Amino acid sequence: MVIQYQGEQHGKATIFTLRIIGNNLSKSSSNYQIDLLVGDKKVPTFTTEIHQSLSNCLKEIYLFIKHNGIKFNETSENITSLYVPYDRVLFNYNKYALFRA
């Protein structure tokens, strides 16, 4: 699933892209990998590449954007790829982690 947001970094307008890759290992276990792109360049953000929950991935993105002067415009959300409906529901449930005060 690929999601784009308009936003700004240090006052400069840009487009941010989140690439979420879900790997279902079994009926009861999943792993998630998430990439952050600023413009078209991948940003090295993670202490670990793979997380056991989407919530943990989004929390790590939140901490990165908070400490790097990045702001997403929540209303500009645009899904630009095909996605598994379950991943969309899970993302909607956990995306509050990106927009904490």
Side-chain angles (χ1 to χ4, degrees):
M1 188 161 100
V2 178
I3 304 157
Q4 289 186 331
Y5 290 98
Q6 294 177 359
E8 51 185 57
Q9 182 175 19
H10 303 296
K12 188 176 183 182
T14 191
I15 294 177
F16 299 95
T17 304
L18 295 175
R19 266 192 319 222
I20 300 170
I21 303 161
N23 299 312
N24 294 323
L25 302 175
S26 68
K27 290 182 180 179
S28 62
S29 176
S30 295
N31 286 330
Y32 290 90
Q33 179 180 346
I34 190 164
D35 297 327
L36 173 65
L37 290 85
V38 178
D40 60 351
K41 296 182 182 176
K42 183 178 173 186
V43 180
T45 57
F46 303 104
T47 55
T48 59
E49 288 286 324
I50 297 174
H51 294 278
Q52 288 187 346
S53 73
L54 183 58
S55 175
N56 288 343
C57 287
L58 296 176
K59 286 175 188 173
E60 191 157 344
I61 289 287
Y62 166 76
L63 291 173
F64 180 82
I65 64 177
K66 179 180 176 184
H67 294 290
N68 286 282
I70 296 172
K71 294 180 184 172
F72 291 168
N73 178 353
E74 187 174 2
T75 60
S76 69
E77 181 178 296
N78 182 24
I79 297 177
T80 61
S81 69
L82 296 175
Y83 58 87
V84 177
Y86 175 75
D87 288 342
R88 174 67 178 169
V89 169
L90 196 58
F91 176 77
N92 282 340
Y93 181 78
N94 288 293
K95 73 179 176 182
Y96 72 90
L98 289 175
F99 303 105
R100 296 177 185 178

